[in-house]
Amino acid sequence: MWLRSSLRRYYELLDDLVVVVPVPATGWTGRPLPVDQCLDIISEVDVRGIARRVDGHWEDLDQPMRADTAQRQAGLDALRGRVDWVLQIDNDEVVPDPGFLVDSLQAVADDVVGIEWPLRVLYRRLSDRTFVAVSGAAGEPVVEYPGSTVVRPNATLVDARRPGEGKIIRHVVKGDKQSLQIARPPGPEELRVEGLAVEQVILHNSWGRTPAQIMQKTRSWGHASGARGLVYFATRWWPSRWTWRWQRNLHPFADGLWPRLAKVSVPAELLDAHD
């Protein structure tokens, strides 16, 4: 979890902060989550006292992604009419240059409902600042476009943080030709803007956590898959600390999406002593 370092990166840019709290403290599949710990960290960072809780119960054992989407939608609904844009950042995502992201919102047309910002997945932590990250076949960086990082508060979400209707702007890493979302032609409602450096993409600590946290993740996240998730943990993720150089095709359910891993160093300023 990178909640403290993540929130600190963009906190001063916020006019409002909504915290969508599951009650009871369980995830989308009903598994326990460290909700109180997260709330304590938010209170520590929130020196202006702008955070507002939105409590709810979001569980769907058969389709946890539907519960994921509903929880995010509750946060958007709480901000409707209060702000112009909503930054949708998970607590395991760090924005290296949040000011640059906010500047990209200037002069955006009124009919644009979402802004997509790419991210790079960190897969396993090797030391304090060293990780292995998802990479291409030759070890080059691979980025993903998981949905709108910034969205209008009146948007209706589908499939986690993707708006169901309206135009989106997808910021693309310069020279990126291999990401699945970029390899196919733009959709009718998609405008691509190329020019980002890899250093400007969001770092997603999706899998670079402790074994206990990863075990919890495979049981509680939107893509939870029961016994298959446990098999993936035991046969792919757990040995990757020692076998990452030889592992191939690592994505837990999408064939070909994660070709291999490569070692990366995360700048110290993106982390803190608690991470």
Side-chain angles (χ1 to χ4, degrees), residues 101-117:
L101 189 156
V102 171
D103 288 345
S104 73
L105 303 178
Q106 303 302 317
V108 171
D110 291 340
D111 60 349
V112 173
V113 69
I115 310 292
E116 287 201 2
W117 207 265

Side-chain angles (χ1 to χ4, degrees), residues 45-56:
V45 178
D46 182 25
V47 294
R48 292 182 285 150
I50 62 173
R52 294 187 290 122
R53 282 182 58 149
V54 174
D55 292 350

